[in-house]
């Protein structure tokens, strides 16, 4: 499973990556610190950073420069990236944030777990989903 993690918190990113390793899940994580960097990675213009397809995006909302909602708007507006699989992975349980995310066709909205056991359950479930999911197939050039 390839993951584009769009997350500004070094601590949250480290915890997620360590939990994936502890679970021994075959996952490769590429991290963007905000929506602008994530769009650059997807466009292939981020120096030295790329992500192998297929992949899913784990997206935080509250980030500097470009937040998660603005990133989703830009992602969905671009025909080359409009069909990407995105899961919100955020601390916000605000109903307006949840509604806004689903307006932009996220595949799921996860509130960041407070404990290691909850995070392990979430990541294991996400991995199982990815194993049985058929990701979007790139159209022929």
């Amino acid at each position: 499973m390839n993951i584009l993690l769009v997350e500004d918190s070094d601590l949250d990113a480290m915890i997620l990556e360590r939990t994936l390793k502890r679970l021994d899940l075959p996952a490769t994580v590429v991290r963007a610190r905000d929506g602008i960097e994530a769009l650059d990675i997807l466009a292939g213009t981020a120096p030295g950073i790329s992500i192998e397809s297929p992949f899913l995006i784990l997206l935080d909302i509250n980030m500097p420069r470009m937040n998660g909602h603005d990133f989703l708007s830009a992602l969905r507006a671009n025909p080359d990236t409009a069909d990407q699989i995105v899961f919100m992975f955020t601390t916000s349980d605000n109903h307006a944030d949840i509604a806004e995310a689903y307006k932009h066709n996220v595949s799921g909205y996860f509130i960041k777990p407070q404990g290691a056991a909850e995070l392990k359950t979430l990541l294991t479930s996400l991995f199982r989903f990815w194993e049985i999911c058929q990701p979007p197939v790139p159209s022929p050039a």
Side-chain angles (χ1 to χ4, degrees):
M1 173 169 65
N2 297 313
I3 299 170
L4 175 56
L5 175 63
V6 187
E7 172 62 66
D8 63 315
S9 167
D10 292 337
L11 180 61
D12 287 351
M14 180 189 67
I15 290 169
L16 184 129
E17 290 184 47
R18 283 185 179 173
T19 303
L20 285 168
K21 284 181 184 174
R22 284 188 187 122
L23 290 169
D24 200 27
L25 296 176
T28 300
V29 177
V30 172
R31 180 177 171 211
R33 286 174 170 73
D34 60 40
I36 292 172
E37 187 177 10
L39 290 174
D40 288 345
I41 291 168
L42 293 172
T45 59
I49 306 172
S50 63
I51 186 158
E52 187 176 322
S53 289
F55 60 90
L56 61 86
I57 299 170
L58 287 181
L59 178 62
D60 190 16
I61 292 177
N62 299 310
M63 297 177 290
R65 295 196 314 157
M66 177 184 273
N67 70 32
H69 293 307
D70 293 340
F71 169 79
L72 272 174
S73 293
L75 184 81
R76 298 303 187 216
N78 181 340
D80 294 333
T81 59
D83 64 353
Q84 293 300 321
I85 297 171
V86 179
F87 291 93
M88 299 307 290
F89 187 67
T90 184
T91 57
S92 175
D93 61 358
N94 181 296
H95 295 292
D97 281 336
I98 296 168
E100 183 70 17
Y102 280 111
K103 277 187 207 174
H104 288 101
N105 301 315
V106 295
S107 297
Y109 191 103
F110 303 120
I111 297 170
K112 291 178 185 175
Q114 296 300 310
E118 290 176 17
L119 182 58
K120 286 178 183 179
T121 299
L122 187 150
L123 291 175
T124 301
S125 298
L126 189 59
F127 181 76
R128 287 193 178 126
F129 164 83
W130 190 249
E131 282 185 312
I132 61 174
C133 178
Q134 293 298 312
V137 177
S139 46

